[in-house]
Amino acid sequence: DGGITQSPKYLFRKEGQNVTLSCEQNLNHDAMYWYRQDPGQGLRLIYYSQIVNDFQKGDIAEGYSVSREKKESFPLTVTSAQKNPTAFYLCASSSLLVGAYEQYFGPGTRLTVT
Amino acid sequence: AQKVTQAQTEISVVEKEDVTLDCVYETRDTTYYLFWYKQPPSGELVFLIRRNSFDEQNEISGRYSWNFQKSTSSFNFTITASQVVDSAVYFCALSELGYGGATNKLIFGTGTLLAVQP
């Protein structure tokens, strides 16, 4: 089955630790995205990538880092510099073909930092 | 600046009622795309529909229908004969076109929580 996988579903960390969230897709999509969702709010873009070895900051990139070494994978690291890391993180991917721009989402990772 | 407004924070209906979720957007682009997503309690966003700015035809898919009106910058979503399984948060989103005309970013509204009571 084609889709996007994120692991783990729930993640707990102590303050001051870096943590990496994984995102893998087998949809052969060129573009991948990371969003953050806080209770009662919409999604905010953290980083996105349209091609391997290239990525751009979104609206709230501070305290986060990403890599895109393979087309299928786009891991997100939440660093200790992120002041409010507890949130629901969603990974998405999309084609870059004209007219096929919808993004498909993974199941999300709920991160709790105490 | 681009913006999506979903003024209805929460809606509660009884099963079999029709319900309309409102979405108003702002953009300076002449070419853009609008989307609706459903987020059930499990958390994963499910893509429902894409509409481009040149296609103002209304669309119907089963119990779902969408009304796109450029004159009022609205893209409303109606569920006919609602069911308990329709209970979810629904997000409207607007594309921000970038490299090669492809979507780099989606600008999301804050979502509408729909509760369908049995």
Side-chain angles (χ1 to χ4, degrees):
Chain A
D1 281 338
I4 301 174
T5 56
Q6 291 185 245
S7 60
K9 192 167 179 64
Y10 297 94
L11 193 53
F12 298 89
R13 281 293 182 270
K14 295 287 187 187
E15 202 172 310
Q17 293 179 337
N18 290 355
V19 59
T20 297
L21 282 57
S22 81
C23 177
E24 304 276 333
Q25 55 100 358
N26 61 4
L27 300 168
N28 199 31
H29 285 165
D30 289 302
M32 296 187 75
Y33 313 81
W34 273 105
Y35 291 90
R36 171 185 171 132
Q37 185 179 25
D38 293 285
Q41 298 191 28
L43 280 69
R44 293 182 291 168
L45 183 66
I46 304 172
Y47 269 99
Y48 62 97
S49 167
Q50 292 179 297
I51 194 169
V52 173
N53 293 324
D54 188 46
F55 46 83
Q56 284 77 41
K57 293 181 180 180
D59 299 317
I60 55 165
E62 186 175 345
Y64 299 98
S65 66
V66 293
S67 63
R68 187 90 186 274
E69 296 176 3
K70 298 186 301 181
K71 185 176 181 177
E72 304 78 22
S73 179
F74 192 41
L76 173 75
T77 297
V78 184
T79 75
S80 55
Q82 167 52 234
K83 293 178 183 175
N84 218 2
T86 295
F88 187 50
Y89 292 87
L90 285 153
C91 178
S93 70
S94 74
S95 168
L96 293 180
L97 296 175
V98 173
Y101 300 144
E102 58 272 17
Q103 294 180 17
Y104 292 91
F105 286 80
T109 292
R110 201 167 294 277
L111 173 65
T112 302
V113 177
T114 57
Chain B
Q2 295 181 300
K3 186 179 176 182
V4 175
T5 301
Q6 295 180 257
Q8 304 152 307
T9 307
E10 291 185 37
I11 300 176
S12 182
V13 298
V14 177
E15 213 170 13
K16 297 184 184 175
E17 282 186 35
D18 298 348
V19 57
T20 295
L21 310 181
D22 297 333
C23 173
V24 174
Y25 63 92
E26 296 174 30
T27 182
R28 292 183 196 163
D29 294 339
T30 55
T31 301
Y32 53 89
Y33 291 79
L34 294 161
F35 306 83
W36 274 96
Y37 285 87
K38 174 181 180 180
Q39 186 177 40
S42 61
E44 181 172 346
L45 265 73
V46 178
F47 166 69
L48 295 178
I49 190 172
R50 174 191 71 235
R51 173 64 74 222
N52 75 54
S53 52
F54 297 109
D55 182 2
E56 289 193 69
Q57 276 193 328
N58 290 334
E59 178 148 348
I60 298 174
S61 176
R63 296 184 297 105
Y64 295 172
S65 63
W66 291 269
N67 182 5
F68 176 34
Q69 292 196 338
K70 283 179 78 171
S71 60
T72 56
S73 297
S74 65
F75 186 42
N76 297 336
F77 173 29
T78 297
I79 301 175
T80 303
S82 59
Q83 300 176 1
V84 172
V85 293
D86 296 326
S87 297
V89 180
Y90 291 86
F91 289 97
C92 180
L94 168 70
S95 66
E96 181 175 293
L97 296 183
Y99 172 74
T103 301
N104 299 116
K105 298 170 58 171
L106 292 182
I107 311 299
F108 283 86
T110 50
T112 297
L113 173 61
L114 174 64
V116 182
Q117 311 295 336

